[in-house]
Coordinates of all heavy atoms in Angstrom, one line a residue:
G28 N 126.6 -8.5 15.7 CA 125.5 -9.5 15.8 C 125.8 -10.5 16.8 O 126.9 -10.6 17.5
L29 N 124.8 -11.3 17.1 CA 124.9 -12.4 18.0 C 125.3 -13.6 17.3 O 125.0 -14.0 16.2 CB 123.4 -12.6 18.6 CG 123.3 -13.8 19.6 CD1 124.0 -13.5 20.9 CD2 121.9 -14.0 19.8
R30 N 126.3 -14.3 18.0 CA 126.8 -15.7 17.5 C 126.7 -16.6 18.6 O 127.2 -16.5 19.7 CB 128.3 -15.5 17.1 CG 128.8 -16.7 16.5 CD 130.3 -16.5 16.0 NE 130.1 -15.5 14.8 CZ 131.2 -14.7 14.6 NH1 132.3 -14.8 15.2 NH2 131.1 -13.8 13.7
V31 N 126.0 -17.8 18.3 CA 125.8 -18.8 19.3 C 126.9 -19.8 19.2 O 127.1 -20.3 18.1 CB 124.4 -19.5 19.1 CG1 124.2 -20.6 20.1 CG2 123.3 -18.5 19.4
L32 N 127.7 -19.9 20.2 CA 128.8 -20.9 20.2 C 128.6 -22.3 20.6 O 129.1 -23.3 20.3 CB 130.1 -20.3 20.8 CG 130.6 -18.9 20.3 CD1 131.8 -18.5 21.2 CD2 131.0 -19.1 18.9
A33 N 127.6 -22.3 21.7 CA 127.1 -23.5 22.2 C 125.8 -23.4 22.7 O 125.4 -22.3 23.2 CB 127.9 -23.9 23.4
A34 N 124.9 -24.3 22.5 CA 123.4 -24.2 23.0 C 123.0 -25.6 23.4 O 123.4 -26.6 22.9 CB 122.6 -23.8 21.7
Q35 N 122.1 -25.5 24.4 CA 121.5 -26.8 24.9 C 120.9 -27.5 23.9 O 120.0 -26.8 23.0 CB 120.7 -26.5 26.1 CG 120.7 -27.4 27.1 CD 119.9 -27.0 28.4 OE1 120.0 -25.8 28.8 NE2 119.1 -27.8 29.0
G36 N 121.1 -28.8 23.6 CA 120.5 -29.6 22.5 C 121.2 -29.5 21.2 O 121.1 -30.5 20.3
K37 N 122.1 -28.6 21.1 CA 123.1 -28.6 19.9 C 124.4 -29.3 20.2 O 124.9 -29.2 21.3 CB 123.3 -27.2 19.5 CG 124.1 -26.9 18.3 CD 124.3 -25.5 18.0 CE 125.2 -25.3 16.7 NZ 125.4 -23.9 16.6
E38 N 124.8 -30.3 19.3 CA 126.0 -31.0 19.4 C 126.1 -31.8 20.6 O 127.1 -32.0 21.3 CB 127.3 -30.1 19.4 CG 127.3 -29.1 18.3 CD 127.7 -29.7 16.9 OE1 128.2 -30.9 17.0 OE2 127.4 -29.1 15.9
G39 N 124.9 -32.2 21.1 CA 124.8 -33.1 22.3 C 124.9 -32.4 23.6 O 125.0 -33.1 24.6
V40 N 125.0 -31.0 23.6 CA 125.1 -30.3 24.9 C 123.8 -30.4 25.7 O 122.7 -30.2 25.1 CB 125.5 -28.8 24.5 CG1 125.4 -28.0 25.8 CG2 126.8 -28.7 23.8
T41 N 123.9 -30.7 27.0 CA 122.8 -30.9 27.9 C 122.7 -29.8 29.0 O 121.7 -29.5 29.5 CB 122.8 -32.2 28.6 OG1 124.0 -32.5 29.3 CG2 122.7 -33.3 27.6
W42 N 123.8 -29.1 29.2 CA 123.9 -28.0 30.2 C 125.0 -27.1 29.9 O 126.2 -27.6 29.5 CB 124.0 -28.7 31.6 CG 124.1 -27.6 32.7 CD1 123.1 -27.1 33.4 CD2 125.3 -27.1 33.3 NE1 123.5 -26.1 34.3 CE2 124.9 -26.1 34.3 CE3 126.7 -27.3 33.1 CZ2 125.8 -25.5 35.1 CZ3 127.6 -26.7 33.8 CH2 127.1 -25.7 34.8
I43 N 124.9 -25.8 30.1 CA 126.0 -24.9 29.8 C 126.0 -23.9 31.1 O 125.0 -23.3 31.5 CB 125.8 -24.0 28.6 CG1 125.6 -24.9 27.5 CG2 127.0 -23.0 28.4 CD1 125.1 -24.1 26.2
M44 N 127.3 -23.8 31.7 CA 127.5 -22.8 32.8 C 127.5 -21.4 32.2 O 127.9 -21.1 31.0 CB 128.7 -23.1 33.5 CG 129.0 -22.2 34.6 SD 130.7 -22.5 35.4 CE 131.8 -22.2 34.2
D45 N 126.9 -20.4 33.0 CA 126.8 -19.1 32.5 C 128.1 -18.3 32.7 O 128.2 -17.1 32.1 CB 125.6 -18.3 33.2 CG 125.7 -18.3 34.7 OD1 126.7 -18.9 35.2 OD2 124.8 -17.8 35.2
N46 N 129.0 -18.8 33.1 CA 130.5 -18.2 33.3 C 131.2 -18.6 32.2 O 131.5 -19.8 31.9 CB 131.0 -18.7 34.7 CG 132.6 -18.3 34.9 OD1 133.4 -19.2 34.8 ND2 132.8 -17.0 35.1
V47 N 131.9 -17.6 31.5 CA 132.9 -17.8 30.4 C 134.0 -17.0 30.6 O 133.9 -16.1 31.4 CB 132.2 -17.6 29.0 CG1 131.0 -18.5 28.8 CG2 131.9 -16.2 28.8
S48 N 135.1 -17.4 30.0 CA 136.3 -16.6 30.2 C 136.9 -16.4 28.8 O 137.1 -17.4 28.1 CB 137.3 -17.3 31.1 OG 138.6 -16.5 31.2
W49 N 137.2 -15.2 28.4 CA 137.9 -15.0 27.0 C 139.3 -15.3 27.1 O 140.0 -15.0 28.0 CB 137.7 -13.5 26.7 CG 136.3 -13.1 26.3 CD1 135.3 -12.8 27.0 CD2 135.8 -13.2 24.9 NE1 134.1 -12.6 26.3 CE2 134.4 -12.8 25.0 CE3 136.4 -13.5 23.6 CZ2 133.7 -12.7 23.8 CZ3 135.6 -13.4 22.5 CH2 134.2 -13.0 22.6
S50 N 139.8 -15.8 26.0 CA 141.2 -16.1 25.9 C 141.9 -14.7 25.7 O 141.3 -13.8 25.2 CB 141.5 -16.9 24.6 OG 141.2 -16.3 23.4
P51 N 143.2 -14.6 26.1 CA 143.9 -13.3 25.9 C 144.0 -12.7 24.5 O 143.9 -11.6 24.3 CB 145.3 -13.7 26.4 CG 145.1 -14.8 27.4 CD 144.1 -15.6 26.7
D52 N 143.9 -13.6 23.4 CA 143.9 -13.2 22.1 C 142.5 -12.9 21.5 O 142.3 -12.5 20.3 CB 144.6 -14.1 21.2 CG 144.1 -15.4 21.1 OD1 142.9 -15.8 21.6 OD2 144.7 -16.4 20.5
S53 N 141.5 -13.0 22.5 CA 140.0 -13.0 22.1 C 139.6 -13.8 21.0 O 138.5 -13.5 20.3 CB 139.8 -11.5 21.8 OG 140.0 -10.7 22.9
K54 N 140.2 -15.0 20.8 CA 139.8 -15.8 19.7 C 139.0 -17.1 20.2 O 138.4 -17.8 19.4 CB 141.1 -16.3 18.9 CG 141.7 -15.2 18.1 CD 142.9 -15.7 17.4 CE 143.5 -14.5 16.5 NZ 144.7 -14.9 15.7
Q55 N 139.0 -17.2 21.4 CA 138.3 -18.4 22.1 C 137.7 -18.0 23.4 O 138.0 -17.0 24.0 CB 139.2 -19.6 22.3 CG 140.0 -20.1 21.1 CD 141.0 -21.2 21.4 OE1 141.7 -20.9 22.3 NE2 140.9 -22.3 20.8
V56 N 136.6 -18.8 23.8 CA 136.1 -18.6 25.1 C 136.1 -20.0 25.8 O 136.1 -21.1 25.2 CB 134.6 -18.1 25.1 CG1 134.6 -16.7 24.7 CG2 133.7 -19.0 24.2
L57 N 136.3 -20.0 27.0 CA 136.4 -21.1 27.9 C 135.1 -21.2 28.7 O 134.7 -20.2 29.3 CB 137.6 -21.1 28.8 CG 138.0 -22.1 29.6 CD1 138.4 -23.4 28.9 CD2 139.1 -21.7 30.5
T58 N 134.5 -22.4 28.9 CA 133.3 -22.5 29.7 C 133.2 -23.9 30.2 O 134.1 -24.8 30.0 CB 132.0 -22.1 28.9 OG1 131.0 -22.0 30.0 CG2 131.6 -23.1 27.9
V59 N 132.2 -24.1 31.0 CA 131.9 -25.5 31.5 C 130.6 -26.0 30.9 O 129.6 -25.2 30.9 CB 131.9 -25.5 33.1 CG1 131.5 -26.9 33.5 CG2 133.2 -25.2 33.6
L60 N 130.5 -27.2 30.4 CA 129.3 -27.7 30.0 C 129.3 -29.3 30.2 O 130.3 -29.8 30.5 CB 128.9 -27.4 28.5 CG 130.0 -27.5 27.4 CD1 129.9 -28.8 26.7 CD2 129.7 -26.4 26.4
T61 N 128.0 -29.8 30.0 CA 127.9 -31.3 30.0 C 127.3 -31.6 28.7 O 126.7 -30.9 28.0 CB 126.9 -31.8 31.1 OG1 125.7 -31.2 30.9 CG2 127.5 -31.4 32.5
T62 N 127.6 -33.0 28.3 CA 127.0 -33.4 27.1 C 126.4 -34.8 27.4 O 126.5 -35.4 28.4 CB 128.2 -33.7 25.9 OG1 129.0 -34.7 26.4 CG2 128.9 -32.4 25.7
R63 N 125.6 -35.3 26.3 CA 125.1 -36.6 26.5 C 126.1 -37.7 26.7 O 126.0 -38.6 27.4 CB 124.2 -37.0 25.2 CG 122.8 -36.3 25.3 CD 122.1 -36.8 24.1 NE 122.7 -36.5 22.8 CZ 122.3 -35.7 21.8 NH1 121.2 -35.2 22.0 NH2 123.0 -35.5 20.8
V64 N 127.3 -37.6 26.1 CA 128.3 -38.5 26.1 C 129.1 -38.3 27.4 O 129.5 -39.3 28.1 CB 129.4 -38.3 24.9 CG1 130.5 -39.2 25.1 CG2 128.6 -38.6 23.7
N65 N 129.2 -37.1 27.9 CA 129.9 -36.9 29.2 C 129.1 -36.0 30.1 O 129.1 -34.7 30.0 CB 131.3 -36.1 28.9 CG 132.2 -36.0 30.1 OD1 131.8 -36.5 31.3 ND2 133.3 -35.3 30.1
P66 N 128.3 -36.6 31.1 CA 127.5 -35.8 31.9 C 128.3 -35.0 33.0 O 127.6 -34.2 33.9 CB 126.6 -36.8 32.5 CG 127.4 -38.1 32.5 CD 128.2 -37.9 31.2
V67 N 129.6 -35.2 33.1 CA 130.4 -34.5 34.1 C 130.6 -33.0 33.8 O 131.0 -32.8 32.5 CB 131.7 -35.2 34.3 CG1 132.7 -34.5 35.5 CG2 131.5 -36.7 34.9
K68 N 130.5 -32.1 34.6 CA 130.8 -30.6 34.2 C 132.4 -30.4 34.0 O 133.1 -30.5 34.8 CB 130.3 -29.6 35.3 CG 128.8 -29.8 35.5 CD 128.3 -29.0 36.7 CE 126.8 -29.0 36.7 NZ 126.2 -28.7 37.9
Q69 N 132.7 -30.3 32.6 CA 134.0 -30.3 32.2 C 134.3 -29.0 31.5 O 133.4 -28.4 31.0 CB 134.3 -31.5 31.3 CG 134.2 -32.8 31.9 CD 135.3 -33.2 32.8 OE1 136.3 -33.5 32.2 NE2 135.3 -33.1 34.2
L70 N 135.6 -28.7 31.4 CA 136.0 -27.5 30.6 C 136.0 -27.7 29.2 O 136.5 -28.7 28.6 CB 137.5 -27.1 31.1 CG 137.8 -26.8 32.5 CD1 139.2 -26.6 32.8 CD2 137.0 -25.4 32.8
Y71 N 135.4 -26.8 28.5 CA 135.4 -26.9 27.0 C 135.8 -25.4 26.5 O 135.6 -24.4 27.1 CB 133.9 -27.0 26.4 CG 133.5 -28.5 26.6 CD1 133.1 -29.0 27.9 CD2 133.5 -29.2 25.5 CE1 132.8 -30.4 27.9 CE2 133.1 -30.6 25.5 CZ 132.7 -31.1 26.8 OH 132.3 -32.5 26.9
V72 N 136.5 -25.4 25.2 CA 136.9 -24.2 24.7 C 136.2 -24.1 23.3 O 136.0 -25.1 22.5 CB 138.5 -24.2 24.5 CG1 139.0 -25.2 23.5 CG2 138.9 -22.8 24.1
A73 N 135.7 -22.9 23.0 CA 135.0 -22.7 21.7 C 135.6 -21.6 21.0 O 136.0 -20.5 21.5 CB 133.5 -22.3 21.9
D74 N 135.9 -21.8 19.7 CA 136.4 -20.7 18.8 C 135.3 -19.7 18.5 O 134.2 -20.1 18.3 CB 137.0 -21.3 17.4 CG 138.2 -22.2 17.6 OD1 138.9 -22.0 18.6 OD2 138.3 -23.1 16.8
I75 N 135.6 -18.4 18.5 CA 134.6 -17.5 18.5 C 134.1 -17.4 17.0 O 133.0 -16.8 16.8 CB 135.0 -16.0 19.0 CG1 136.1 -15.5 18.2 CG2 135.2 -16.1 20.4 CD1 136.2 -14.0 18.4
D76 N 134.8 -18.0 16.1 CA 134.2 -17.9 14.6 C 132.9 -18.9 14.5 O 132.1 -18.7 13.7 CB 135.3 -18.4 13.7 CG 135.8 -19.8 13.8 OD1 135.1 -20.6 14.5 OD2 136.8 -20.0 13.1
G77 N 132.7 -19.8 15.5 CA 131.5 -20.6 15.5 C 131.5 -21.6 14.5 O 130.5 -22.3 14.3
K78 N 132.7 -21.9 13.8 CA 132.7 -22.9 12.7 C 132.8 -24.4 13.2 O 132.4 -25.3 12.6 CB 133.8 -22.6 11.7 CG 133.6 -21.4 11.0 CD 134.7 -21.0 10.1 CE 134.5 -19.7 9.4 NZ 135.7 -19.3 8.5
T79 N 133.2 -24.5 14.5 CA 133.4 -25.9 15.0 C 132.7 -26.0 16.4 O 132.6 -24.9 17.1 CB 134.9 -26.3 15.1 OG1 135.5 -25.3 16.0 CG2 135.5 -26.4 13.7
P80 N 132.3 -27.1 16.8 CA 131.6 -27.2 18.1 C 132.7 -27.0 19.3 O 133.9 -27.2 18.9 CB 131.1 -28.7 18.1 CG 131.7 -29.4 17.0 CD 132.2 -28.4 16.0
P81 N 132.3 -26.8 20.5 CA 133.2 -26.5 21.6 C 133.9 -27.9 21.7 O 133.4 -29.0 21.5 CB 132.4 -26.2 22.7 CG 131.1 -25.7 22.2 CD 131.0 -26.4 20.8
K82 N 135.2 -27.8 22.2 CA 136.0 -29.0 22.5 C 136.4 -29.2 23.8 O 136.8 -28.1 24.4 CB 137.3 -29.0 21.6 CG 137.0 -28.9 20.1 CD 138.3 -28.8 19.3 CE 138.0 -28.6 17.9 NZ 138.9 -27.8 17.1
A83 N 136.4 -30.4 24.4 CA 136.8 -30.6 25.8 C 138.3 -30.4 25.9 O 139.0 -30.9 25.0 CB 136.4 -31.9 26.2
L84 N 138.7 -29.8 26.9 CA 140.2 -29.7 27.1 C 140.6 -31.1 27.6 O 140.0 -31.8 28.3 CB 140.5 -28.6 28.2 CG 140.3 -27.2 27.9 CD1 140.7 -26.3 29.0 CD2 141.0 -26.9 26.6
P85 N 141.8 -31.4 27.1 CA 142.3 -32.8 27.3 C 142.9 -32.9 28.8 O 143.1 -32.0 29.4 CB 143.5 -33.0 26.4 CG 143.9 -31.6 26.0 CD 142.8 -30.7 26.1
K86 N 142.9 -34.2 29.2 CA 143.5 -34.5 30.5 C 142.8 -34.0 31.7 O 143.3 -33.8 32.7 CB 145.0 -34.0 30.6 CG 145.9 -34.7 29.4 CD 147.4 -34.2 29.6 CE 148.1 -34.7 28.4 NZ 149.6 -34.4 28.5
Q87 N 141.5 -34.0 31.6 CA 140.6 -33.5 32.7 C 140.3 -34.8 33.5 O 139.8 -35.8 32.9 CB 139.4 -32.8 32.3 CG 139.6 -31.5 31.6 CD 138.3 -30.8 31.3 OE1 137.6 -30.5 32.1 NE2 138.0 -30.8 30.0
P88 N 140.3 -34.8 34.9 CA 139.8 -35.9 35.6 C 138.3 -36.1 35.3 O 137.5 -35.2 35.5 CB 140.1 -35.6 37.1 CG 141.0 -34.4 37.1 CD 140.8 -33.8 35.7
Q89 N 137.9 -37.3 35.0 CA 136.6 -37.6 34.6 C 135.6 -37.6 35.9 O 134.5 -37.7 35.8 CB 136.4 -38.9 33.9 CG 137.0 -38.8 32.5 CD 136.3 -37.7 31.6 OE1 135.1 -37.6 31.5 NE2 137.2 -36.8 31.0
D90 N 136.3 -37.7 37.1 CA 135.4 -37.6 38.3 C 135.4 -36.3 39.0 O 135.0 -36.2 40.1 CB 136.0 -38.8 39.3 CG 137.4 -38.6 39.7 OD1 138.1 -37.7 39.1 OD2 137.7 -39.1 40.7
Q91 N 135.9 -35.3 38.4 CA 136.0 -34.0 39.0 C 135.2 -33.0 38.2 O 135.6 -32.7 37.1 CB 137.5 -33.5 39.1 CG 137.6 -32.2 39.9 CD 137.4 -32.3 41.4 OE1 138.0 -33.4 42.0 NE2 136.7 -31.5 41.9
A92 N 134.1 -32.4 38.8 CA 133.4 -31.4 38.2 C 134.0 -30.0 38.3 O 134.6 -29.8 39.3 CB 131.9 -31.4 38.7
C93 N 133.7 -29.2 37.3 CA 134.3 -27.8 37.4 C 133.0 -26.8 37.5 O 132.0 -27.1 37.0 CB 134.9 -27.5 36.1 SG 136.3 -28.6 35.7
Y94 N 133.3 -25.7 38.2 CA 132.1 -24.7 38.5 C 132.4 -23.4 38.1 O 131.6 -22.5 38.0 CB 131.8 -24.8 39.9 CG 131.0 -26.2 40.3 CD1 131.6 -27.2 40.8 CD2 129.6 -26.3 39.9 CE1 130.9 -28.4 41.0 CE2 129.0 -27.5 40.0 CZ 129.7 -28.6 40.6 OH 129.0 -29.7 40.9
A95 N 133.7 -22.9 37.9 CA 134.0 -21.7 37.5 C 135.4 -21.6 36.8 O 136.2 -22.5 37.2 CB 134.1 -20.7 38.7
V96 N 135.5 -20.8 35.9 CA 136.9 -20.7 35.1 C 137.3 -19.4 34.9 O 136.5 -18.5 34.8 CB 136.7 -21.5 33.8 CG1 136.3 -22.9 34.0 CG2 135.6 -20.8 32.9
A97 N 138.6 -19.2 34.7 CA 139.3 -17.9 34.4 C 140.6 -18.2 33.7 O 141.4 -19.1 34.2 CB 139.4 -17.0 35.5
W98 N 140.8 -17.5 32.5 CA 142.0 -17.6 31.8 C 143.0 -16.7 32.4 O 142.5 -15.4 32.6 CB 141.8 -17.3 30.4 CG 142.3 -18.4 29.4 CD1 143.6 -18.9 29.4 CD2 141.7 -18.9 28.2 NE1 143.9 -19.8 28.4 CE2 142.6 -19.7 27.6 CE3 140.5 -18.7 27.7 CZ2 142.3 -20.5 26.5 CZ3 140.2 -19.5 26.5 CH2 141.0 -20.3 26.0
S99 N 144.2 -17.0 32.6 CA 145.3 -16.0 33.0 C 145.5 -14.9 31.9 O 145.4 -15.3 30.7 CB 146.5 -16.7 33.4 OG 147.2 -17.2 32.3
P100 N 145.9 -13.8 32.3 CA 146.1 -12.8 31.2 C 147.1 -13.2 30.1 O 147.0 -12.7 29.0 CB 146.6 -11.5 32.0 CG 146.0 -11.6 33.4 CD 146.0 -13.2 33.6
D101 N 148.0 -14.0 30.5 CA 149.1 -14.4 29.5 C 148.6 -15.6 28.7 O 149.3 -16.1 27.8 CB 150.4 -14.5 30.1 CG 150.4 -15.7 31.1 OD1 149.4 -16.5 31.3 OD2 151.6 -15.9 31.8
G102 N 147.5 -16.3 29.1 CA 146.9 -17.4 28.4 C 147.7 -18.8 28.8 O 147.3 -19.7 28.2
K103 N 148.6 -18.8 29.7 CA 149.4 -19.9 30.0 C 148.8 -20.7 31.1 O 149.1 -21.9 31.3 CB 150.8 -19.6 30.4 CG 151.6 -18.9 29.3 CD 153.0 -18.6 29.6 CE 153.7 -17.9 28.5 NZ 155.1 -17.6 28.9
K104 N 147.8 -20.2 31.8 CA 147.1 -20.9 33.0 C 145.6 -20.7 32.9 O 145.1 -19.7 32.4 CB 147.7 -20.4 34.4 CG 149.3 -20.7 34.5 CD 149.6 -20.1 35.7 CE 151.2 -20.2 35.9 NZ 151.7 -19.6 37.1
I105 N 145.0 -21.6 33.5 CA 143.5 -21.6 33.7 C 143.2 -21.9 35.1 O 143.7 -23.0 35.7 CB 142.8 -22.6 32.8 CG1 143.0 -22.3 31.4 CG2 141.3 -22.7 33.1 CD1 142.6 -23.3 30.3
L106 N 142.4 -21.0 35.8 CA 142.0 -21.2 37.1 C 140.6 -21.9 37.1 O 139.7 -21.5 36.3 CB 141.9 -19.9 37.8 CG 141.2 -19.9 39.3 CD1 142.1 -20.5 40.2 CD2 140.7 -18.6 39.6
V107 N 140.4 -22.9 37.9 CA 139.2 -23.8 37.8 C 138.8 -23.9 39.3 O 139.5 -24.3 40.2 CB 139.4 -25.2 37.2 CG1 138.1 -26.0 37.2 CG2 140.0 -25.0 35.8
A108 N 137.5 -23.6 39.5 CA 136.9 -23.9 40.8 C 136.2 -25.3 40.8 O 135.4 -25.5 39.9 CB 136.0 -22.8 41.2
T109 N 136.5 -26.1 41.8 CA 135.9 -27.4 41.8 C 135.5 -27.7 43.3 O 136.1 -27.2 44.1 CB 136.9 -28.5 41.3 OG1 138.0 -28.5 42.2 CG2 137.4 -28.3 39.8
P110 N 134.5 -28.5 43.5 CA 134.1 -29.0 44.8 C 135.2 -29.9 45.4 O 135.9 -30.5 44.6 CB 132.8 -29.7 44.7 CG 132.8 -30.3 43.2 CD 133.6 -29.2 42.4
P111 N 135.3 -30.0 46.6 CA 136.3 -30.9 47.2 C 135.9 -32.4 46.8 O 134.7 -32.8 46.7 CB 136.2 -30.7 48.8 CG 134.9 -30.1 48.9 CD 134.5 -29.4 47.7
K112 N 136.9 -33.3 46.6 CA 136.6 -34.6 46.4 C 136.1 -35.4 47.5 O 136.7 -35.1 48.7 CB 138.0 -35.4 45.9 CG 138.3 -34.9 44.4 CD 139.4 -35.8 43.8 CE 139.6 -35.4 42.4 NZ 140.5 -36.5 41.8
K113 N 135.3 -36.3 47.4 CA 134.7 -37.1 48.4 C 135.8 -38.1 48.9 O 136.5 -38.6 48.0 CB 133.4 -37.8 48.1 CG 132.3 -36.8 47.9 CD 131.1 -37.5 47.4 CE 130.0 -36.4 47.2 NZ 128.8 -37.0 46.7
R114 N 135.9 -38.3 50.1 CA 137.1 -39.2 50.6 C 136.3 -40.5 51.0 O 135.3 -40.8 51.3 CB 137.7 -38.7 51.8 CG 138.5 -37.5 51.5 CD 139.2 -36.9 52.7 NE 139.9 -35.8 52.3 CZ 141.1 -35.4 52.6 NH1 141.8 -36.2 53.3 NH2 141.6 -34.3 52.2

């Protein structure tokens, strides 16, 4: 069946990127979204059981938007595409 892990308007989510990356153990997905509290495009992880809302990954720069994500096969690294910082 279909399981909704994040939806616009739910849990304060205002925008969701259509790119997701599955964790190597297939228990989580990684995506980028914005919320009413944080309008910057940031990385969030959601458990596939759907019991808890997506959580922002810690230690993200609040002035750096994310546009694409990929989890490494061993789960130890995350690749993130971001626009260049303005000087």
Side-chain angles (χ1 to χ4, degrees):
L29 176 67
R30 184 174 297 150
V31 177
L32 302 178
Q35 217 168 319
K37 185 178 176 184
E38 307 289 344
V40 174
T41 55
W42 178 85
I43 304 171
M44 182 176 66
D45 58 359
N46 168 255
V47 299
S48 181
W49 284 88
S50 64
D52 63 6
S53 299
K54 293 181 180 180
Q55 298 176 311
V56 291
L57 182 67
T58 192
V59 174
L60 49 92
T61 62
T62 66
R63 283 186 297 245
V64 175
N65 185 6
V67 179
K68 294 175 178 162
Q69 298 278 284
L70 297 170
Y71 283 76
V72 66
D74 295 332
I75 62 161
D76 64 12
K78 294 179 182 176
T79 58
K82 296 176 188 145
L84 291 182
K86 300 180 182 180
Q87 295 183 69
Q89 292 301 308
D90 62 344
Q91 186 70 50
C93 301
Y94 288 97
V96 297
W98 228 314
S99 67
D101 63 5
K103 294 180 180 181
K104 296 177 185 174
I105 296 171
L106 173 71
V107 182
T109 63
K112 286 192 175 188
K113 295 179 182 177
R114 294 179 188 227

